Amino acid sequence: MHVVIAPDCFTGTLTATQAAGAIAAGWSQSAPRDILTLVPLSDGGPGFLDVMVRAVEGEVIATTVADPLGREVPASILVADQAGVRTAYLESAQACGLHLLSASERDPALTSTYGVGQLLRAARDSGARRIVVGLGGSGTNDGGAGLLAALGAGSRDDLGRGGLALRDLGPNALDGIEAVRRDWADIELVAATDVDNPLLGLHGASATFAPQKGASPQGAQDLEGALGHFADRLWRHLPAGTDLLTGRARRLDREPGAGAAGGLGYGLFVLGGHRRSGVELILESIGFRDLVAAADLVVTGEGCFDWQSLHGKVVAGVAGIALTTATPVVVIAGQVLVGRREGMSLGLSGMYAVASDPRQEEAAFADPVGTLRERAARVARTWSPS
């Protein structure tokens, strides 16, 4: 049997490459004659650049940028010539990722996307006219204010001190934004994101994602107010656009994907960027449909298979393509928090959790490779004729 193993990272424990290797090792224990094709994936978050380096022939440029708290960290840019356009691929998590912070440092009120702006500058300095930014896995909630500060829209003191500081912005804090927009007008910016949340509201960046980054319930509300003030200040500087469907003024903070990576999507939209599904971009780049069409089974997975996985994540993207080729898909995840009906709505044939109780969770964190390998071996005994 030919099996394509195509997981996302298991956040906090395994990279996508490590997860694919663990699943393959377990599968081979139970079905040693099966042919396994390993395809580690990403939806725009951590691992995005590694996937694109394998998919796109180009040059990797090393640089250093500021992390969420302003410390220097290494980062990379992939630059390639595609259809006559010099294109750069960036992974925002390399500059503002939650994994760059210790547990005690996780506070989205204080963390900044300034380093992502430095990555953008380095990409343009390399000659890129199209820049694709993978969004996801951030430890920030500043609406892209730090990014804009790094490009000259305002001072770092005003815009680069984290999301909460944005509530104190004065009327002149963004006086440089018009010049920055003109400066970047001839660069195509693509926000490759795993979510379609707006910047503000019940489904916005602060309400949905800030608690995952260390914010208390009150802190998330405070960040919501700060981002609202930031968006209002920017609104005065942006040209008035019109929504063709409603005839009303178009607000970039309400655009799908504006809330991605703590509002980093919004910062890119302010510069004239547009959104693209991160997982769709990756699957298209690696020719995933052809791989699936030649396979008998696809095994995908992630750390926690929950309601967010149903919208724009790796599992949903893999399942969508497999439906077009009538190839069965099973999920192996650290935890499975959706019901059978939701899984079937994606076209999944099976969902398997590594950990289903506190004792198993403790074991999975203690030995993520071993427990995932063991679970994959059991799944293989169910699915492989051998």
Side-chain angles (χ1 to χ4, degrees), residues 4 23 189 381:
V4 170
I23 293 171
L189 295 174
R381 287 195 289 270

Side-chain angles (χ1 to χ4, degrees), residues 48 88 90 92 116 120 131-135 189-193 264 268:
F48 174 75
L90 319 178
S92 64
V116 184
L120 283 178
I131 302 176
V132 181
V133 185
L135 302 184
L189 295 174
V190 181
T193 173
L264 187 55
L268 293 172

Side-chain angles (χ1 to χ4, degrees), residues 172-187:
N172 302 318
L174 288 156
D175 280 354
I177 189 62
E178 290 96 338
V180 171
R181 282 171 54 86
R182 288 193 299 270
D183 190 32
W184 285 79
D186 61 344
I187 304 292

